[in-house]
């Protein structure tokens, strides 16, 4: 099925730095979501976006739903070692949810 | 918050045997559950959508006779991998949609299947 284009594939940053990742799609989605997955575990929902243009924060995380409904970005400010993991974007229309390939984040103390 | 459990968390089986994986929504009712497969260093790929009381809808390329899905109650869906082969080894993850919320899917912790 339709997959999203997520970038970057991986990031190596120093603790305290800010991080930005994004997703684009050729299709419109009604909902954009960002998940974090730790090794050997299921994805955990970080932020859900329901309206085009919406900007939502969850602690140090901020995500936006693009005006065109075809893209979204996630920012992490002042990264800490426990931010390490794989971040997935997902676009959803009713029961149809499609995932990006993931961004693997490594944070050096 | 909404909790989804999976059992077992890991299973090792011999080639040719069948394996059943359970997905439960613990504190909410889910009319719809989803089954995903994830290979190492790859994203989640939707296998099928499981609807309570009706037949599952399978994604293109997923064999419904090999991956049997039963969603017998509002809190339980099962995935049975029949006649498993080594290429079926993967991380299987379920998610459940809260019937009171139309948009949010909550994921289980996943089941690591290894077929020898």
């Amino acid at each position: 099925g339709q997959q999203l284009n997520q970038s970057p594939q991986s990031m190596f940053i120093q603790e305290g730095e800010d991080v930005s990742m994004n997703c684009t799609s050729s299709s419109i989605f009604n909902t954009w979501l960002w998940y974090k997955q730790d090794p050997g575990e299921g994805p955990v929902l970080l932020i859900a976006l329901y309206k085009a243009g919406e900007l939502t924060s969850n602690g140090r995380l901020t995500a936006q739903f693009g005006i065109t409904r075809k893209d979204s970005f996630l920012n992490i400010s002042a990264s800490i070692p426990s931010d390490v993991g794989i971040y997935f974007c997902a676009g959803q229309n009713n029961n149809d949810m499609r995932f990006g390939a993931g961004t693997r984040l490594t944070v050096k103390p | 918050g909404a909790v989804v459990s999976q059992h077992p968390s890991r299973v090792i089986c011999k080639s040719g045997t069948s394996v059943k994986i359970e997905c439960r929504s613990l504190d909410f009712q889910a009319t719809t559950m989803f089954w995903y497969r994830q290979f190492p260093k790859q994203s989640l790929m939707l296998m099928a959508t499981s609807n309570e009381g009706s037949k599952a809808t399978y994604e293109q390329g997923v064999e419904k006779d090999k991956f049997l899905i039963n969603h017998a109650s509002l809190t339980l869906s099962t995935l049975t991998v029949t006649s498993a082969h080594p290429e079926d080894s993967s991380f299987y993850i379920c998610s459940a949609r809260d019937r009171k919320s139309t948009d949010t899917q909550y994921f289980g912790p996943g089941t690591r299947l290894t077929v020898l």
Side-chain angles (χ1 to χ4, degrees):
Chain A
Q2 167 73 41
Q3 288 295 108
L4 308 182
N5 298 311
Q6 184 173 349
S7 65
Q9 281 189 330
S10 60
M11 301 182 74
F12 296 83
I13 62 169
Q14 206 72 37
E15 182 178 0
E17 290 183 354
D18 297 342
V19 171
S20 185
M21 57 192 81
N22 69 84
C23 265
T24 60
S25 170
S26 57
S27 302
I28 289 174
F29 288 101
N30 293 324
T31 304
W32 280 88
L33 306 108
W34 286 92
Y35 290 88
K36 178 174 184 260
Q37 186 178 28
D38 291 327
E41 297 184 17
V44 173
L45 181 65
L46 299 174
I47 292 180
L49 302 155
Y50 301 106
K51 290 169 68 172
E54 179 181 353
L55 183 71
T56 297
S57 293
N58 178 8
R60 293 179 295 106
L61 278 60
T62 302
Q64 184 158 32
F65 190 149
I67 289 289
T68 64
R69 294 161 67 194
K70 293 182 178 181
D71 64 296
S72 177
F73 72 74
L74 173 71
N75 287 342
I76 305 173
S77 62
S79 59
I80 59 178
S82 62
D83 290 334
V84 164
I86 303 176
Y87 292 79
F88 289 100
C89 63
Q92 182 175 344
N93 290 323
N94 299 314
N95 274 346
D96 185 20
M97 180 184 279
R98 304 292 160 171
F99 284 85
T103 296
R104 186 179 295 270
L105 179 63
T106 302
V107 180
K108 293 180 253 184
Chain B
V3 178
V4 176
S5 70
Q6 276 183 248
H7 177 79
S9 57
R10 338 179 140 250
V11 56
I12 301 172
C13 69
K14 291 182 179 179
S15 188
T17 60
S18 294
V19 175
K20 180 188 281 188
I21 302 170
E22 292 186 348
C23 176
R24 292 182 187 272
S25 56
L26 299 185
D27 51 0
F28 65 98
Q29 293 182 327
T31 49
T32 307
M33 290 184 170
F34 306 85
W35 288 96
Y36 295 83
R37 182 167 48 185
Q38 186 178 31
F39 291 107
K41 297 189 178 181
Q42 293 189 24
S43 188
L44 287 78
M45 295 299 294
L46 180 65
M47 297 175 66
T49 301
S50 167
N51 298 295
E52 187 264 337
S54 64
K55 290 183 179 179
T57 304
Y58 290 81
E59 294 296 298
Q60 193 171 8
V62 178
E63 299 175 56
K64 62 180 181 181
D65 294 330
K66 180 168 182 64
F67 299 98
L68 301 178
I69 291 172
N70 183 282
H71 191 161
S73 78
L74 287 171
T75 59
L76 173 65
S77 176
T78 61
L79 168 68
T80 302
V81 183
T82 63
S83 187
H85 292 286
E87 57 265 30
D88 297 324
S89 298
S90 188
F91 194 51
Y92 291 86
I93 308 173
C94 73
S95 70
R97 170 181 279 179
D98 188 341
R99 81 191 290 200
K100 294 180 183 176
S101 163
T102 57
D103 296 312
T104 306
Q105 287 186 31
Y106 299 96
F107 284 84
T111 296
R112 171 76 58 195
L113 171 63
T114 303
V115 185
L116 303 176

